[in-house]
Amino acid sequence: MLPSIPANTVRKVAVAELNRYTLKLSQCTHVYNVFLGKKRRAATRHSSGIMALNADDDDFEWTPPSESEMKVIHAQRERQDKISKLMGAYLLKGYKMLGECCEQCGTILLQDKQKKNYCVACQELDSDVDKDNPALNAQAALSQVRERQLASQPVPQANEAPSSDAPISITGQPRPEHCEGAASGLRGPLPPPANPSPASTVTPSFLPPSTPSIQPVQVPAPLVAPAPHPALSSAEEVVLHKLRWATQELQHSASVEASIQLCSLIRSCADSLRSLKELHQS
Amino acid sequence: MGMRLQPRCLQLDSVLQTVSVLEAVIRRSFGPDGGQVLFTRDTGQTLLTRHGTRILTALRVEHPLARMVVECVRRHSSVTGDGSKTFVLLLASLLREIQKHTRKARQEGAGAKRLAEALLAFGLDELSDVITVAVAPHGSSLSDPHTPGQTDTHTLCRLLSAFLHTRISPTHAEIISQLTCELLSHWSCHGDFINEHFPALHTAVSGFPIGCSRLLEGQVIHADFSTPLPLRDHRPIRALAVTEPLEPSLLIDGTVLELGGANREIESVCVRLGRRLDSVCVILQHLGVSLLLSSVRQSEAFLAAVGRYGVCVLECVCEDDLTLFSVLKDRGRPHSLVVCGLTEGQTEQSVCAVRDALHMLHTTWGPKHRTRATERTARTDVMEPCVISVGGTFEFLLHHTLLQRKHGQTHSVTHSHTHTLSHTDMHTLSHTDTHTLSHTDMHTLSHIDTHTPSHTDTHTQSNADTHTLSHLDNPAVSGMLAEALLSVPRQIYSHNPRHYLEAHAHTLSCMRNHGNSTDLPEISAVLAADGSNMVQADTGSGSGSGSGVKEVTVWSSSGSSSGVESVSCKYQLILAVLQCLRSLLSVDTVLHANTSHTLSHACQREEEEGD
């Protein structure tokens, strides 16, 4: 994603410089780099009025990049670092690094064992933004609707002390309820049960209205966290649902094998919940 | 099948991205706190390794530039035995520096190429002097101070121990390094010898714990007896090494003999052949040979015959063993190393580690074999076997020395614009004693300037054309290399930024105490500048030079017994990186030819079979 540069400047520079140089501008990032360089060069040349015959002279006329340019350079560098890290991880997983580049962003393509090509930048980095956009993603839209619903309801507090009680407003606590066994061990100590106040300013605690009378569980310690990510909360819902089902099955299961499998399912659900919780808090 | 050519201009960004990906792969295994990579095969075999070359060659890479880099790393590692991860780190950071410098240039590609050439020229011409002057005084020599020509065993042990700790787990490394030290001490005057004959001098045994590894007196021949060894008293045994079947060729299995004439001919032929066989055995007995080492299989008839005469035979002895056997007759009592390991993978790792350690020692000791075919003659050959303590000391020292050079040269360059003293200044300054060079005071420089005009006319013309390219780049080159070198200690201490600052401060105080350079920046200033690059650590202890030095010396005393690393290996590494950089950036276009599809599959299959 290219940061915005005033369109006029870019156009002026482009017209001026393309008349002088012939460049093959095939990829966006390359275009951007070249424009940046040209802009600066045009500025110095016009201001100093010296025709630099020798590239060496530019060393002494070089002005350090301005604040905005530095920010842009930093952002670019960070993006490139992220891409390299992701690609390195995939290479270690057994993906193959191809000799071709992606047509849209110019990143090197990877190929997995099923011979499917994969571009890290297009499919992982940029899609983080798209995931949350309700216009593009149905799941995100649903989560947003749900959020608004729950925010408008008074929070039903039975015997549990959910995260909304504490004077520090807890935003975005993962749904803590109704997990037995392994999952409850992950939760922090029970916070002091305060009187449930239907605080309208607090974001919903995500109690699904459909949860019947299953025993109360510990709530995570009150924390100040950012607004809940709709994708994460929907993931937690699903995992908790699976956990509940697994525990019910475990109660009724008669065979040892099945019990073992159900226990491992519960354990992996708990692990996923823990990592989701960490994501929330980070 | 037609070739579809897609010429594509190579950009610095894509080169940098390729190398950054490789760097991201090995970054997590780098340094003493680095992790290991677990490789699994479809057959179920697993391998746990931290060795950079192993990791890089196991990746599936089809990108031509990446393959080039991996090949460079592999070759470098096969010569010096070490430094594959540092290679990739340095390469990536140098590329980033070049990118920074060429952002402002008109043609990115040409500027980068020029800078790479300048870097390589600097590395070949001047780097060895810089290292000898600035870095070597802070290290210690590998030769024994009391008996020159012999190795100082204690330093040797530290060197080996530090090296092996980076390869195998600490407990195992202790055992193996002790054994290797012992082995080397037995062969003290024949350092190169062990390196050459290492395949024959070691035996790998799987299935035993690593603590069972030991040194055996004598040479171990990796073959089994084909005829039983007759018990004899402890008389010296005479052995004969043969490389061909000793038997008359007609009796070899599978030969078809066509005889003409009467039936009795066959019998007479057999009898004659049998008699020849007997005569061979009689000769053996006459020579007093009781052990026969054969590199090929001998026939059953021959084995039976020599067995009757009491000669014992070993068949299929490998060439290395035979060569060593023939060479050893003048050398007295040999020792060979038996390396044990619980699994084959573990044993192989230990053996590779020892072999690379020997390569590293060979690089440190011996300048004789170093020939680099480049267009400029390299004055790289003679460097003293010198070691320096681990933890980035080499990089810090070189960084500061290069920065001093850069400041010295920048001032003289601005002078040269007004005085038109092009290359001469650089030349004279680079040969001046470091004491005066380090004074960046303008007065001193102008003092030097007034003395050099006499040299201008004689030198400018001759050196102008070869050095005009590099003379204005020299400050940039030193600066770039200096900044790039810092990436290595940063990565070493990436888990602990405070240690990084402490190490940096320690090195600065060593440089100051050494008394060579008096214009070193204040420790606090350096730490402040560096701290902004690393995580902001508590630099309270470093500020104020007096207290800073005291704090730092406390840290250094605990580090004095730590490992050491070889300076020559580091120098070779920098040279190899600069050459790889030059070759990377001299590629203009990549042509994709589709006919290579079948070839690449064939190559892949070969590689997989060969693994």
Side-chain angles (χ1 to χ4, degrees):
Chain A
M1 298 291 263
L2 296 179
S4 58
I5 310 173
N8 293 332
T9 334
V10 173
R11 226 173 288 133
K12 271 187 225 162
V13 168
V15 166
E17 297 304 323
L18 283 176
N19 285 340
R20 286 184 208 183
Y21 309 106
T22 50
L23 287 168
K24 210 178 269 185
L25 307 172
S26 50
Q27 294 169 4
C28 302
T29 51
H30 183 56
V31 167
Y32 177 67
N33 278 335
V34 168
F35 274 1
L36 203 55
K38 294 289 162 279
K39 190 173 102 166
R40 225 180 291 131
R41 171 162 327 268
T44 50
R45 200 166 285 155
H46 290 318
S47 59
S48 60
I50 302 169
M51 271 301 290
L53 293 167
N54 201 358
D56 302 327
D57 288 358
D58 291 339
D59 287 340
F60 303 104
E61 290 178 11
W62 178 63
T63 51
S66 67
E67 270 294 315
S68 55
E69 285 169 356
M70 278 309 292
K71 275 196 205 151
V72 156
I73 292 174
H74 276 304
Q76 255 192 335
R77 204 180 297 162
E78 269 189 40
R79 184 171 185 267
Q80 290 300 321
D81 281 343
K82 245 189 269 186
I83 292 179
S84 308
K85 226 191 248 185
L86 283 171
M87 281 182 71
Y90 277 113
L91 275 182
L92 281 174
K93 277 194 212 156
Y95 280 52
K96 192 199 289 192
M97 186 199 252
L98 295 179
E100 295 147 9
C101 292
C102 171
E103 278 129 14
Q104 289 153 14
C105 57
T107 324
I108 299 176
L109 285 174
L110 296 171
Q111 191 186 68
D112 61 6
K113 303 220 174 88
Q114 280 83 36
K115 308 280 182 204
K116 204 173 70 116
N117 287 5
Y118 181 75
C119 173
V120 175
C122 293
Q123 295 184 13
E124 278 197 29
L125 282 194
D126 292 336
S127 71
D128 271 338
V129 179
D130 293 338
K131 222 168 41 171
D132 295 325
N133 191 350
L136 291 179
N137 191 356
Q139 185 75 342
L142 279 175
S143 313
Q144 215 180 39
V145 166
R146 194 127 169 260
E147 266 183 55
R148 282 207 213 100
Q149 261 183 358
L150 292 169
S152 56
Q153 281 176 15
V155 182
Q157 305 305 330
N159 32 6
E160 16 189 34
S163 40
S164 50
D165 296 338
I168 321 165
S169 68
I170 308 123
T171 54
Q173 278 310 298
R175 233 167 306 126
E177 73 278 31
H178 318 304
C179 315
E180 337 177 331
S184 61
L186 297 175
R187 302 289 179 243
L190 205 60
N195 51 334
S197 50
S200 53
T201 53
V202 170
T203 53
S205 62
F206 300 123
L207 280 176
S210 59
T211 53
S213 54
I214 307 185
Q215 57 215 347
V217 295
Q218 303 169 347
V219 199
L223 287 170
V224 184
H229 205 280
L232 287 177
S233 48
S234 56
E236 281 172 35
E237 251 189 81
V238 173
V239 172
L240 280 166
H241 182 70
K242 226 14 155 206
L243 197 59
R244 250 176 269 132
W245 172 82
T247 41
Q248 281 170 3
E249 284 295 306
L250 188 60
Q251 264 181 339
H252 304 308
S253 134
S255 86
V256 177
E257 269 307 312
S259 313
I260 292 175
Q261 285 172 2
L262 285 168
C263 284
S264 62
L265 171 61
I266 292 177
R267 184 176 51 234
S268 40
C269 287
D271 282 338
S272 345
L273 279 171
R274 180 178 22 208
S275 32
L276 285 171
K277 184 175 159 205
E278 279 168 13
L279 269 175
H280 256 298
Q281 292 173 359
S282 64
Chain B
M1 204 187 299
M3 283 214 305
R4 183 168 49 101
L5 301 179
Q6 297 169 338
R8 190 173 44 115
C9 291
L10 213 58
Q11 299 148 16
L12 190 56
D13 283 340
S14 64
V15 177
L16 179 58
Q17 188 175 63
T18 320
V19 180
S20 308
V21 171
L22 293 177
E23 184 198 17
V25 168
I26 52 106
R27 183 189 273 249
R28 279 187 288 183
S29 318
F30 182 74
D33 301 324
Q36 307 207 27
V37 178
L38 176 69
F39 288 111
T40 51
R41 276 202 189 144
D42 294 335
T43 55
Q45 268 178 309
T46 58
L47 173 70
L48 200 59
T49 179
R50 260 202 302 197
H51 189 16
T53 318
R54 255 298 170 66
I55 298 175
L56 287 174
T57 46
L59 297 176
R60 297 165 68 205
V61 174
E62 257 187 25
H63 194 278
L65 288 180
R67 285 176 78 99
M68 205 165 104
V69 173
V70 170
E71 184 59 27
C72 286
V73 170
R74 196 188 60 79
R75 280 204 211 136
H76 170 79
S77 172
S78 68
V79 169
T80 58
D82 192 20
S84 35
K85 296 190 284 263
T86 322
F87 187 106
V88 178
L89 278 178
L90 264 181
L91 188 63
S93 50
L94 274 171
L95 273 171
R96 285 194 193 106
E97 290 291 318
I98 290 187
Q99 192 189 46
K100 238 191 330 193
H101 277 256
T102 54
R103 263 185 214 279
K104 56 206 187 216
R106 173 187 7 208
Q107 284 163 330
E108 210 184 54
K113 214 186 290 193
R114 200 191 62 201
L115 280 174
E117 295 273 348
L119 273 168
L120 183 60
F122 174 77
L124 289 173
D125 293 338
E126 300 171 30
L127 190 60
S128 67
D129 291 336
V130 172
I131 291 181
T132 318
V133 166
V135 177
H138 297 272
S140 45
S141 171
L142 201 53
S143 327
D144 205 347
H146 306 295
T147 52
Q150 295 281 48
T151 332
D152 179 12
T153 332
H154 179 62
T155 321
L156 181 66
C157 283
R158 279 168 70 193
L159 180 61
L160 277 177
S161 163
F163 179 83
L164 289 172
H165 268 88
T166 63
R167 287 296 177 81
I168 32 191
S169 65
T171 40
H172 300 169
E174 283 302 320
I175 304 172
I176 302 283
S177 73
Q178 254 172 18
L179 286 175
T180 319
C181 278
E182 256 186 73
L183 180 70
L184 285 167
S185 61
H186 284 295
W187 295 96
S188 54
C189 41
H190 307 292
D192 279 354
F193 183 80
I194 307 189
N195 199 19
E196 243 177 82
H197 294 277
F198 184 68
L201 276 174
H202 82 279
T203 316
V205 179
S206 313
F208 291 92
I210 208 162
C212 293
S213 314
R214 66 196 56 201
L215 271 187
L216 284 184
E217 207 175 309
Q219 182 194 358
V220 176
I221 300 195
H222 307 92
D224 199 4
F225 290 109
S226 307
T227 57
L229 178 65
L231 289 167
R232 51 179 77 241
D233 48 7
H234 294 289
R235 277 180 301 159
I237 297 180
R238 273 194 165 191
L240 177 69
V242 295
T243 51
E244 293 174 348
L246 276 186
E247 137 149 42
S249 50
L250 285 178
L251 283 183
I252 292 177
D253 299 330
T255 339
V256 175
L257 192 61
E258 194 177 311
L259 296 171
N263 288 346
R264 286 179 154 256
E265 292 279 347
I266 299 176
E267 285 177 22
S268 61
V269 163
C270 288
V271 163
R272 227 179 307 149
L273 289 175
R275 262 193 238 126
R276 270 168 64 181
L277 202 55
D278 277 341
S279 62
V280 167
C281 296
V282 161
I283 295 173
L284 285 180
Q285 207 182 31
H286 185 67
L287 286 174
V289 170
S290 42
L291 178 64
L292 198 64
L293 301 170
S294 161
S295 63
V296 295
R297 288 194 77 83
Q298 307 286 344
S299 72
E300 292 292 331
F302 180 77
L303 289 178
V306 296
R308 276 200 300 273
Y309 283 83
V311 176
C312 174
V313 182
L314 269 81
E315 286 182 309
C316 300
V317 179
C318 63
E319 292 289 339
D320 296 322
D321 285 344
L322 276 185
T323 324
L324 180 63
F325 178 75
S326 49
V327 159
L328 269 183
K329 54 187 192 310
D330 325 312
R331 301 258 193 207
R333 311 207 79 118
H335 282 79
S336 60
L337 181 64
V338 174
V339 178
C340 298
L342 282 174
T343 59
E344 231 177 82
Q346 200 184 53
T347 329
E348 204 210 326
Q349 256 191 342
S350 313
V351 166
C352 280
V354 176
R355 188 173 48 222
D356 289 338
L358 292 174
H359 281 313
M360 190 260 299
L361 282 174
H362 174 68
T363 314
T364 316
W365 272 323
K368 317 173 198 91
H369 304 290
R370 216 172 298 141
T371 48
R372 295 204 173 254
T374 55
E375 48 268 26
R376 297 181 205 241
T377 50
R379 303 183 298 157
T380 67
D381 296 291
V382 187
M383 198 180 283
E384 280 295 312
C386 168
V387 297
I388 200 165
S389 48
V390 294
T393 322
F394 176 84
E395 282 84 14
F396 286 133
L397 287 169
L398 198 53
H399 165 79
H400 283 291
T401 321
L402 287 172
L403 279 183
Q404 284 169 11
R405 272 178 70 93
K406 174 185 172 190
H407 289 137
Q409 286 168 357
T410 324
H411 279 113
S412 65
V413 162
T414 52
H415 266 301
S416 74
H417 262 264
T418 52
H419 290 270
T420 66
L421 275 177
S422 55
H423 173 73
T424 323
D425 259 353
M426 317 309 315
H427 219 66
T428 347
L429 275 179
S430 63
H431 286 297
T432 322
D433 194 11
T434 32
H435 294 276
T436 47
L437 176 62
S438 58
H439 286 293
T440 53
D441 188 16
M442 294 299 274
H443 295 296
T444 329
L445 273 179
S446 53
H447 183 69
I448 298 176
D449 276 350
T450 52
H451 284 285
T452 50
S454 52
H455 298 290
T456 318
D457 300 328
T458 50
H459 284 275
T460 320
Q461 286 310 308
S462 55
N463 292 326
D465 31 332
T466 47
H467 291 281
T468 37
L469 272 183
S470 51
H471 86 277
L472 278 176
D473 286 329
N474 250 335
V477 158
S478 311
M480 281 198 303
L481 194 53
E483 285 304 320
L485 278 170
L486 274 191
S487 68
V488 176
R490 277 199 202 120
Q491 190 58 34
I492 292 178
Y493 296 109
S494 60
H495 300 283
N496 203 335
R498 198 193 160 83
H499 280 170
Y500 171 77
L501 292 171
E502 284 176 0
H504 203 164
H506 172 60
T507 317
L508 276 175
S509 64
C510 284
M511 283 177 85
R512 196 180 288 246
N513 294 344
H514 221 262
N516 257 350
S517 3
T518 50
D519 76 326
L520 274 182
E522 280 293 321
I523 294 185
S524 51
V526 167
L527 292 186
D530 225 350
S532 61
N533 289 330
M534 302 276 295
V535 175
Q536 278 297 333
D538 175 29
T539 53
S541 62
S543 58
S545 47
S547 57
V549 173
K550 267 192 234 122
E551 293 255 4
V552 151
T553 46
V554 167
W555 182 84
S556 72
S557 60
S558 62
S560 60
S561 57
S562 65
V564 290
E565 59 190 2
S566 151
V567 170
S568 328
C569 284
K570 288 276 173 183
Y571 171 59
Q572 289 298 316
L573 175 73
I574 297 181
L575 276 187
V577 170
L578 294 176
Q579 287 196 328
C580 183
L581 184 71
R582 199 267 301 263
S583 358
L584 266 185
L585 291 177
S586 59
V587 175
D588 287 320
T589 313
V590 175
L591 298 175
H592 287 281
N594 278 351
T595 47
S596 65
H597 260 296
T598 44
L599 273 175
S600 70
H601 281 307
C603 287
Q604 231 182 7
R605 243 180 285 126
E606 270 172 36
E607 279 170 16
E608 278 161 10
E609 279 162 9
D611 270 354

